[in-house]
Amino acid sequence: MSGDKGDGERVLRLVTSNEGKAMEYAAALAGISWKVERVAGPYEEIQADTLEEVAGASARQLFAEGSVPPPFVLEDAGLFIDALEGFPGVYSAYVFQTIGHQGILRLMEGIRDRDASFESRIALCVPGGDVELLSGSCSGTIPQAMRGSGGFGFDPVFIPEGDYRTFAEMSIEEKEERSHRGRAMAALRERLARL
Ligand code: ITT
């Protein structure tokens, strides 16, 4: 049976090129009855207008290629800034690689509305090839300057609602309790318990 190593332990593959993301999955999925195995090779991210389309289409493509046996998960996430009409959104990876968090702060110079949200869409490909989507989101604000050295990506420029610290100033557990990914991973844990 796919996902069963033969000794009763079930294996979920996590496909990501992002080390920080992989660490968050390892922390959140420790202690469940699944062994999480990272597949570090990049997959071809399908271009689309929404995170769910990107995640869903990428997972279906990966299943069709047959290189990663299901069950596996991949995730598309992004930062959506209200005053920038949702930018960088689905372009977050590209924007992070090009202008980085300094670029985001520059774009936000002089803008009073600092509201933003982080969104996560996990695509779970189950044995047989069906793809299911699990979501998580986190509202917050963009600070005036970057703060903190933890986490990854845009973490130094995002303060979750109800807190005063950026994600980069939190421990991995504190970020998980509040974050888009933490919420999507909680839904994933529930789903895996029924798989
Ligand atoms: P994979 O697709 O290989 O998993 P990626 O880095 O491209 O890795 P995403 O497309 O999901 O991951 O994320 C797009 C960008 O959004 C990513 O480069 C980060 O800069 C940013 N991002 C996503 N989740 C984040 C988080 O929890 N904290 C900070 N930045 C995040």
Side-chain angles (χ1 to χ4, degrees):
M1 181 174 84
S2 298
D4 193 328
K5 278 171 63 193
D7 55 3
E9 188 172 50
R10 304 219 280 170
V11 179
L12 175 71
R13 292 170 186 85
L14 165 67
V15 189
T16 182
S17 60
N18 183 318
E19 186 64 38
K21 207 189 251 191
M23 284 169 64
E24 291 186 10
Y25 275 85
L29 300 180
I32 65 169
S33 60
W34 287 77
K35 179 177 163 34
V36 180
E37 245 174 43
R38 180 177 173 201
V39 179
Y43 58 93
E44 196 186 334
E45 220 170 66
I46 309 293
Q47 297 299 306
D49 293 338
T50 63
L51 297 179
E52 36 276 297
E53 285 176 79
V54 175
S58 301
R60 280 189 289 275
Q61 163 110 355
L62 204 55
F63 176 73
E65 286 167 7
S67 51
V68 183
F72 67 80
V73 285
L74 57 81
E75 182 206 345
D76 200 33
L79 175 65
F80 293 74
I81 302 177
D82 289 11
L84 305 180
E85 291 171 19
F87 186 83
V90 288
Y91 309 110
S92 292
Y94 178 71
V95 168
F96 183 71
Q97 281 161 25
T98 50
I99 62 171
H101 20 60
Q102 292 292 9
I104 291 292
L105 290 178
R106 270 198 301 277
L107 288 175
M108 291 298 287
E109 261 168 29
I111 296 180
R112 287 180 56 190
D113 174 8
R114 315 290 296 185
D115 289 352
S117 70
F118 256 125
E119 299 287 338
S120 159
R121 301 289 180 272
I122 296 176
L124 165 67
C125 180
V126 299
D130 283 348
V131 171
E132 302 175 13
L133 286 168
L134 304 150
S135 304
S137 63
C138 175
S139 301
T141 53
I142 307 293
Q144 298 290 341
M146 52 185 286
R147 295 201 313 258
S149 56
F152 68 95
F154 295 115
D155 281 345
V157 293
F158 185 82
I159 302 172
E161 205 168 72
D163 216 295
Y164 56 92
R165 297 166 299 169
T166 67
F167 274 157
E169 295 177 297
M170 296 180 183
S171 68
I172 199 164
E173 293 80 13
E174 287 170 328
K175 180 181 169 188
E176 184 193 332
E177 275 168 31
R178 297 159 177 79
S179 79
H180 51 307
R181 181 166 304 103
R183 290 173 180 148
M185 290 188 301
L188 175 63
R189 274 198 307 268
E190 263 179 42
R191 180 67 189 99
L192 289 175
R194 291 183 287 107
L195 201 65

